[in-house]
Amino acid sequence: MIAYRIKQAELEALIEAESPRWLKKASTRTAGFRERNCYDESSTIWSYVKAVYMRLQGDCKCAYCERKLESTPLGKIEQDVEHFRPKSRIRAWTLPKSLKDQDIMVTAVPDEKRGYFLLPYHPLNYLAACKPCNSLLKKDYFPIAGEYDLAGDDPAQLHIKEKPLLIYPIGDFDDAPEDLIRFYGVSPQAVAPNGFNRERALVTIEFFKLDDPTERKHLFRERAFIIVALYPQLEKLVDGTMDREKDDAQQLVDGFTSPKSAHTNCARSFRDLFQRKFQPLF
Ligand SMILES: [Zn+2]
């Protein structure tokens, strides 16, 4: 995962350009949910803004696993607009034993029949995710360490109160995922040696099976291909004798570590590891 920094006003401008009057319709629907004190509607409109999130997330990457997906419009079929905070119900997530052993605690879900009924149309409650990450893994789970507030209507405020154990990569109020999770080779690791940031990293890695070479073997393969391609370019930056060769290598390194490439966090972690080893030469 990596961060996609954007102000709410900038995000709303992109949404308005993509689907004029969507924000107005979203606001009207949210007012209805507030009045009725629940989420209920017979049709939805969030798919109209899916392309905004696809483009924002490194030109069509899954926000969680960083797999590159097809671009718009064809790519719409292979990814979902995911509600970070579930809109209609929250399923209790069972903490795996490996995390229980690390003394991580998850708050009990107060009412599994209710969700965040004021957030189905909040722009900072969306991201674009691939089908395995969204439909098979995220589902209606939302583990937190703080206090649930299902009537909350501001994700930035909720972030403080609820202490989510998953990381939200869009906007400017959550930690950057790469500050919490880095890669050692092809394997994601928590950056912090202890504390809540470590817990969030461990839960996010476990939740999306980002370190599971069996169930997510293609993630591992793709990361390995990137490292294999990146390594000789980093070597050229150290050993290359011709300026032209170094310029070409730098361009390739910049490409692999750009937000628009697949598995950017993995590529950046490898580049940084390499550069630490050859620090005096950079
Ligand atoms: Zn994914």
Side-chain angles (χ1 to χ4, degrees), residues 238-249:
V238 175
D239 299 334
T241 50
M242 294 160 55
D243 285 347
R244 173 72 192 276
E245 192 178 44
K246 285 192 171 187
D247 288 347
D248 291 348

Side-chain angles (χ1 to χ4, degrees), residues 95-112:
L95 200 65
K97 186 175 178 311
S98 59
L99 296 184
K100 267 187 199 153
D101 291 347
Q102 305 237 12
D103 292 332
I104 295 176
M105 305 289 284
V106 178
T107 305
V109 174
D111 180 355
E112 284 200 52

Side-chain angles (χ1 to χ4, degrees), residues 22 30 33 39 41 44-47 49 53 57 64 80-90 115-129 133-135 138-143 155 166 168-169 207-208:
W22 185 91
T30 303
F33 306 149
Y39 169 62
E41 60 182 345
T44 65
I45 58 170
W46 49 75
S47 63
V49 299
Y53 293 84
Q57 293 169 203
Y64 293 129
D80 298 322
V81 175
E82 129 84 339
H83 288 78
F84 186 63
R85 284 180 168 79
K87 58 195 175 299
S88 48
R89 58 168 295 199
I90 305 171
Y116 294 86
F117 63 96
L118 298 178
L119 297 181
Y121 289 106
H122 198 297
L124 288 172
N125 194 39
Y126 291 154
L127 43 78
C133 283
N134 182 44
S135 304
K138 176 65 166 50
K139 297 181 177 172
D140 293 324
Y141 296 116
F142 192 65
L166 301 177
Y168 184 67
F207 190 96
F208 291 106

Side-chain angles (χ1 to χ4, degrees), residues 1 8 42 50 53 55 61 92-93 115 132 169 191 206 210-211 218 258 266:
M1 286 178 80
Q8 184 172 338
S42 54
K50 187 190 285 190
Y53 293 84
R55 288 192 289 264
K61 286 198 295 189
W93 186 61
V191 173
E206 175 70 30
L210 300 177
D211 198 25
H218 292 302
S258 140
C266 174

Side-chain angles (χ1 to χ4, degrees), residues 62-67 129-130 132-133 216:
C62 172
Y64 293 129
C65 72
E66 282 210 89
R67 277 197 304 138
C130 71
C133 283
R216 308 218 69 176

Side-chain angles (χ1 to χ4, degrees), residues 31 86 123 145-146 155 158 187 190 206 275 282:
L158 283 169
S187 186
E206 175 70 30
Q275 289 182 345
F282 278 90

